[in-house]
Amino acid sequence: MRSQTISTKLQQIAKQAANYPDMVFTTLAHHIDVDFLYEAYRQNNRKSSPGIDKVTSKEYDENLELNLQNLHERLRKGLYKAPPVERVWIDKEGNKKRPIGKPTLEDKIVQRAVEMVLSAVYEQMFHDFSYGFRKGRSQHQAIKELMDQCWETRGGWIISADITGLFDNINHGYLREIIKRRVNDGGIIRLIGKWLKAGVYENGSVSYPESGTPQGGSISPILSNIFLHHVLDDWFVNEVKPRMKGLTSMVRWADDFIIICEHEYDAIRLMEVMPKRFSRYGLSLHPEKSKVVSFKRPKPYVEKDDRNGTFDFLGFTFYWGKSLKGYWIIRKKTARKRQSRFLKSCSSWCKANRHLSMSEQHKALCQKLSGFYQYFGVQTNNRSLGTVFFKVEQSWRYWLGRRSHKGYVSYEKFDIIRKVYPLPQPRIVHNI
């Protein structure tokens, strides 16, 4: 019953936003009542790590109704304080680290509630080529849209761009100004301000960044989408496309986007003005990941076209290749860095957990490979999937051998192990 009531509220907000695209919403915070907070709590991941207060979902559940009522009362009176976000670091390619935030449980609830309200308003404004962090949209849909657009322009010229540290560099002043153009509710604006100023807890001390959005919670993706909708998406639709000589389209996933231009002149011209547009809002394009690539469809009877480049998007490398019938088609394969990172993580896991029983190791490796297939199992990526399967098997065999005095497992013995504990075979999951 609670979910139906909240759904009706959100539908009404969305309908109003769609019918009145120029209207500024000034009364939205009153929708966030106890039932709304309960729904926000229900939608959160209860298995996620606790924040600096160490309160878990299990502890919060013990007096859930009372806790939510207390939380609502603090929100209603403006007494809610956003606690600092605990920061941890995870590995990424190139021996680099990526920061991940861990908000407190109550902060996650409030962030989710505000995100639900903002999404109801802004989903009516966002463009169709924006896919990141939106309900009902996935990376594979973005990949299909990209391939359709490339095919329409026969490849053309690709602007492969990446915004440097988007989540850490969003200007707070510009963000508030952009939000107020559509949502100028005092309660919502104050909450967003509290999150932006909450600070980051790391190594026993709290720092207060002057830019960026709170990472780890559900509010950061919607804030970044609102920011980029104004900075990039609307600018591209209203100012860029009308000035282009040929067909031009874009596909964006969060801070990673691809622009397809029919003519080289348009691509070069756009690449020259984009840095100026981003610098106006305190952002910059990654110098190594942003480039113009020739991606024109090769001639029908050419066996290989060395003039054509490749580009990466959402973990895949896109390139022209021949179909089984001899036609040129756009093919996809797992990007080299993503494949290497996965294989290294599997090898490290086998090394660290070689003491576990065979059934435990088999279960974990099956989960890892199934997850890889679930994302990278797309048409034309068979070779990459087969390579990953083969190398994971080899890593497993190598580290199984290292737990005995012989130092190896013979191929004959490993064949027996493979029959008893078979790893999942490569498979195509997505028909793209």
Side-chain angles (χ1 to χ4, degrees), residues 42-60:
R42 191 185 67 81
Q43 290 188 19
N44 271 321
N45 181 10
R46 302 187 185 184
K47 295 181 180 179
S48 59
S49 302
I52 60 173
D53 62 358
K54 305 304 178 185
V55 176
T56 64
S57 295
K58 184 177 180 181
E59 295 169 343
Y60 204 79

Side-chain angles (χ1 to χ4, degrees), residues 75-106:
L75 287 171
R76 188 179 65 83
K77 294 180 178 180
L79 300 177
Y80 179 77
K81 293 183 179 180
V85 176
E86 185 177 358
R87 175 181 285 172
V88 295
W89 296 84
I90 61 172
D91 295 326
K92 57 180 295 187
E93 64 266 14
N95 296 321
K96 297 179 181 178
K97 299 281 187 179
R98 171 175 292 173
I100 296 293
K102 296 196 298 181
T104 63
L105 179 60
E106 279 199 338

Side-chain angles (χ1 to χ4, degrees), residues 126-127 129-130 163 166 170 175 178 222-235 250 252-257 277-278 283:
F126 291 155
H127 297 286
F129 56 75
S130 171
I163 302 171
L166 171 68
I170 290 179
L175 178 61
I178 291 169
I222 184 69
L223 292 182
S224 65
N225 266 341
I226 293 170
F227 194 74
L228 285 182
H229 172 76
H230 173 78
V231 174
L232 177 61
D233 300 355
D234 264 355
W235 173 72
M250 180 168 73
R252 180 174 69 83
W253 180 276
D255 58 343
D256 194 4
F257 64 95
R277 174 67 180 181
F278 284 114
L283 298 175

Side-chain angles (χ1 to χ4, degrees), residues 371-384:
F372 187 87
Y373 300 155
Q374 187 63 38
Y375 185 78
F376 290 102
V378 300
Q379 287 181 324
T380 74
N381 196 30
N382 307 65
R383 180 177 295 180
S384 173

